[in-house]
Amino acid sequence: MTNNDKISNTAMQRNILITSAGQRVVLTEIFKNSLATLHLEGKVFTTDMNPRMAPAGYVSDGCFEVERCTAPTYITHLLELCQLHDIGILVPTIDTELLILAQHKEAFAAAGIHVMVSDENFISKCRDKRKTAKLFADLGIDVPREIDKFHPTFPLFAKPYDGSLSTNLHVIRYQEELTSELLADEKLIFMEYINPEEFKEFTVDMYYGSDHQVKSIVPRERLKIRAGEINKGITQKNSLVAFLKKRMNYLASVVGCICIQLFYREADERVYGIEINPRFGGGYPLSYYAGANFVEFMLREYCLGEKITYQDNWKNHTLMLRYDREVIVHEE
């Protein structure tokens, strides 16, 4: 725990735990503000492998040190923390922990803890982009055409089937750029290149209720990306809302926040699905500030027992411009 954390166990089981919180300062603040708005007495705790170096830990009500999520003791330790600190809702934030949490949802549920992650089958489809392409196809959403790397047409695009944070991505325009190293990389999948001069890149935040029906759809155009996350973006109430609601209104076993990356051409409303992240995206604060408070949906459902209906009253053309800000810790 960080130095400023004095934990009390007197609260009802409405406390929140955000795992692998790291730099998710704004998400942590959104949870705290939403609890206050609903007059709930819960606290917002966080976990990190190195709490001292986790900015979100300092704005939460306590940050607990945990091992890597692939460690054999991770789930046991996490469940003990949840029980010790009266956690009612657990919110994961990084891709690598989603599958293991999905596999152990029942153990947490038996202790009265809602793990905000969809089921194992859906998570596995999202974590492997080859399976994601099949999922998009089943939903009636086109994906970029797969390219045979040994008989390529140029330009083409390559990315790892299990990648994240926009790492190991390659735009290959000519034969000489298709190196032996790229051809030998078994994790790379090759596909047609989508021209950004024709298509705009969107991330769409979607919230699914406990009934597995979508409650909100917020497309946000990615104007500038930094380190795989949106740095500048704007909400757009365009045809993507109706397009996705028609195809993804109900997804069995999907709960909470997911975000979908798409390419969208305004001229003919052509859509290509790229990937699905079944968690809060790094750019979710833009949707929140536009008026789509998925955290409040979650608290109303799982803390107050309310039924959530579909809402589209978020504000169009809300612009987000990000900048760096410091967390200063004075250590004795």
Side-chain angles (χ1 to χ4, degrees), residues 170-214:
H170 307 273
V171 177
I172 304 165
R173 300 184 184 278
Y174 307 103
Q175 181 69 55
E176 54 268 27
E177 295 178 345
L178 188 57
T179 64
S180 58
E181 289 79 11
L182 294 178
L183 291 171
D185 190 336
E186 295 183 354
K187 284 200 169 186
L188 288 181
I189 54 177
F190 295 79
M191 64 191 69
E192 67 175 305
Y193 176 66
I194 306 299
N195 190 345
E197 294 183 2
E198 295 182 34
F199 287 81
K200 293 181 177 180
E201 188 176 0
F202 276 82
T203 296
V204 184
D205 290 322
M206 304 176 71
Y207 182 84
Y208 281 83
S210 57
D211 58 1
H212 315 304
Q213 292 189 330
V214 71

Side-chain angles (χ1 to χ4, degrees), residues 72 75-76 79 98-110 113 115 117 120:
I75 289 297
T76 300
L79 183 55
L98 298 177
L99 192 58
I100 189 170
L101 287 173
Q103 292 167 344
H104 293 88
K105 280 183 71 172
E106 290 186 5
F108 285 86
I113 302 157
V115 179
V117 66
E120 183 179 353

Side-chain angles (χ1 to χ4, degrees), residues 11-16 35 39-43 86-89 299 303-304:
M12 297 294 291
Q13 196 164 336
R14 288 175 177 167
N15 293 335
I16 313 298
L35 282 168
H39 305 290
L40 294 171
E41 297 297 327
K43 295 180 180 295
D86 297 313
I87 302 300
I89 299 176
L299 297 177
C303 293
L304 298 177

Side-chain angles (χ1 to χ4, degrees), residues 56-83:
Y58 290 95
V59 301
S60 70
D61 294 302
C63 187
F64 311 113
E65 182 176 352
V66 293
E67 56 273 78
R68 193 177 298 277
C69 66
T70 53
T73 56
Y74 177 72
I75 289 297
T76 300
H77 185 196
L78 191 62
L79 183 55
E80 289 174 351
L81 284 173
C82 289
Q83 293 173 312

